[in-house]
Structure formats: structure tokens, C-alpha cells
Amino acid sequence: MLNIVLFGPPGSGKGTQSEKMIDKYGLIHLSTGDILREAISERTPLGIKAKEYMEKGELVPDEDVINMVVKRLDREKNPNGFIFDGFPRTCGQARFLRTLLTERDTRISVMIALQVNRDELIRRLLKRGQQTGRSDDELSVIMNRIEVYERDTAPVIDFYRNMRKYRPVDGLGSIEEIFDRIVGVIGELK
Ligand code: B4P
């Protein structure tokens, strides 16, 4: 099984590249951001709770995210593998994912970490905010999301670096150029 953690700060292109990767590799896309937004639009108890965190640019508590991921994984019977997009976002989530996959006799193949500078992140997210009206793409919330990323999420890199699974990928350039870099990294996996 090919299990990929697609990692990066908000606006680095995780959602964008995931779409292309599912087509090429036949993997299941597990985006915690998408699942949470769906819960918000359906006004489920999880959605009502998550909305408060997401509107401020804070992370939804680990316990809620973890329960949601277990349910999603268990829905798939014979998957080729998963793209974990926006998950794990804390070291607690990373440890949990390792246990969960070990119990299912599999593991993470690689962490692909998109590298994008702060100015470009802000530019992309502001643009998306204007185009879609997404409430967390507003400047003060974007700034908090980047701060939360640096404080709580960036340390997850070391978790995968220690297991020799960390692969940084330049996230600047056209969507196709970045995708080609990702395909190159996946092609080198043994
Ligand atoms: P996410 O939905 O994961 O949002 P994100 O980090 O902002 O990334 P996203 O996928 O949307 O953006 P992308 O980089 O693709 O999370 C939203 C919120 O949900 C979090 O803030 C948190 O509150 C909560 N949450 C989610 N997962 C959680 C977890 N595990 N634990 C706790 N809380 C969690 O792209 C951004 C924009 O850039 C797009 O408009 C795209 O068109 C553009 N773009 C992409 N590639 C480009 C390129 N090469 N050039 C120019 N523009 C590009």
C-alpha cells in the first residue's frame, strides 16, 4: 500500500496537488479539512464544534479529528492506499496515525512536505478568500493559521524525519511543475 502524508503550511497547495495524485495513483483522498467543512455544512455536532475553532484559525481538538479519521479509514475495504491531506497536524495526531496503521498492518510510505514562503501563502489564501468567500481566508485568520502551523504543526516534520520518511518539495511554480516534482519523489520510493 502507498500511504502518503501530504504536508505543508496553509495555502501550500496540499488540496490542489491531492486532486492530481488521486487520479494518477488511484489513492483515497483523506482531507481532514474537507471532512470538517462537510460536517459544518451538514450542521452535525462535530461541525458545530469545529466551526468555532476553524473560524479563528485554530486547530480542532485532536480527539475529534482522530475519531473522524478512524471512521473514514474503516469505510474503505481494500484500498490501494491513502493520501493524508492536512493530517497529521500535531505530534499527537502523528503518533496516533502510526498506531492506527500498524494495527491495520500498514504504514506511512513517505511525507511529502511542500515548501512555500510566507508571502506567497498569504497571497494565495487572500486570493482564494476573494474568489470563494471562505471565512478562514481572511487576513487576521490567515496570520493565526500560519502561527498555529509554525507552533503546533511544523514539529511533525521531525517525527517523520526521524523515520527517514521526510521529503521536502519546492511548492513554488506552476501546479504542473510541482506535481512533476512530487511524482519524482514517489518514483524514488522502494
Ligand atoms: P485545510 O482544509 O487543510 O486548509 P489549508 O491548510 O489552508 O490548506 P488547503 O488544502 O485549503 O489549501 P491549499 O494548500 O490546497 O484546513 C482548514 C482548517 O481545518 C484548519 O485551519 C483547521 O482549523 C482545521 N483542520 C483541518 N485538519 C485538521 C487537523 N488534522 N487537526 C486539527 N484541525 C484541522 O491551496 C490554497 C490555495 O492556493 C488554493 O486556492 C489554490 O488554488 C492555490 N494554489 C495551489 N497551488 C498553487 C500554485 N502552484 N500556484 C498558485 N496558487 C496555488
Side-chain angles (χ1 to χ4, degrees):
M1 253 167 93
L2 180 61
N3 293 310
I4 299 172
V5 170
L6 189 58
F7 188 84
S12 55
K14 303 182 295 285
T16 309
Q17 295 298 330
S18 293
E19 294 300 325
K20 299 182 71 66
M21 291 162 73
I22 46 178
D23 280 351
K24 183 169 174 74
Y25 298 102
L27 302 174
I28 290 162
H29 184 203
L30 197 157
S31 159
T32 44
D34 286 352
I35 303 173
L36 288 167
R37 278 185 290 277
E38 203 178 298
I40 292 175
S41 72
E42 289 170 358
R43 295 196 172 81
T44 65
L46 169 66
I48 292 164
K49 183 174 178 187
K51 189 168 189 274
E52 283 187 33
Y53 291 91
M54 290 168 73
E55 280 181 347
K56 289 187 253 173
E58 297 292 328
L59 295 180
V60 175
D62 277 1
E63 192 191 335
D64 297 304
V65 174
I66 283 170
N67 287 336
M68 193 175 93
V69 169
V70 173
K71 277 193 200 144
R72 183 69 185 84
L73 276 185
D74 286 344
R75 243 170 57 187
E76 302 301 331
K77 293 305 167 215
N78 288 305
N80 285 337
F82 288 88
I83 299 177
F84 295 96
D85 163 6
F87 178 84
R89 254 179 163 95
T90 63
C91 291
Q93 292 180 12
R95 286 191 294 271
F96 164 78
L97 181 61
R98 182 173 56 187
T99 307
L100 196 67
L101 294 181
T102 306
E103 284 167 3
R104 286 160 179 75
D105 260 343
T106 183
R107 61 185 131 94
I108 291 299
S109 316
V110 66
M111 173 210 238
I112 295 177
L114 296 170
Q115 315 280 302
V116 178
N117 62 60
R118 181 188 278 243
D119 286 352
E120 174 67 8
L121 296 175
I122 296 170
R123 196 188 65 75
R124 288 183 189 177
L125 293 174
L126 283 176
K127 187 172 166 199
R128 184 174 65 187
Q130 285 162 1
Q131 287 169 344
T132 66
R134 199 170 128 172
S135 62
D136 57 350
D137 286 342
E138 186 252 308
L139 187 59
S140 62
V141 183
I142 292 172
M143 297 312 283
N144 192 42
R145 285 161 69 194
I146 295 176
E147 207 169 297
V148 167
Y149 168 81
E150 282 165 2
R151 187 189 64 217
D152 297 332
T153 304
V156 175
I157 290 174
D158 280 340
F159 183 89
Y160 289 99
R161 202 197 312 259
N162 290 339
M163 293 189 290
R164 299 176 194 277
K165 297 196 187 286
Y166 167 66
R167 301 285 184 281
V169 166
D170 182 359
L172 292 177
S174 73
I175 290 168
E176 284 304 329
E177 282 165 347
I178 299 162
F179 183 61
D180 287 346
R181 291 174 201 144
I182 292 175
V183 170
V185 168
I186 295 173
E188 283 167 13
L189 296 176
K190 288 173 197 125

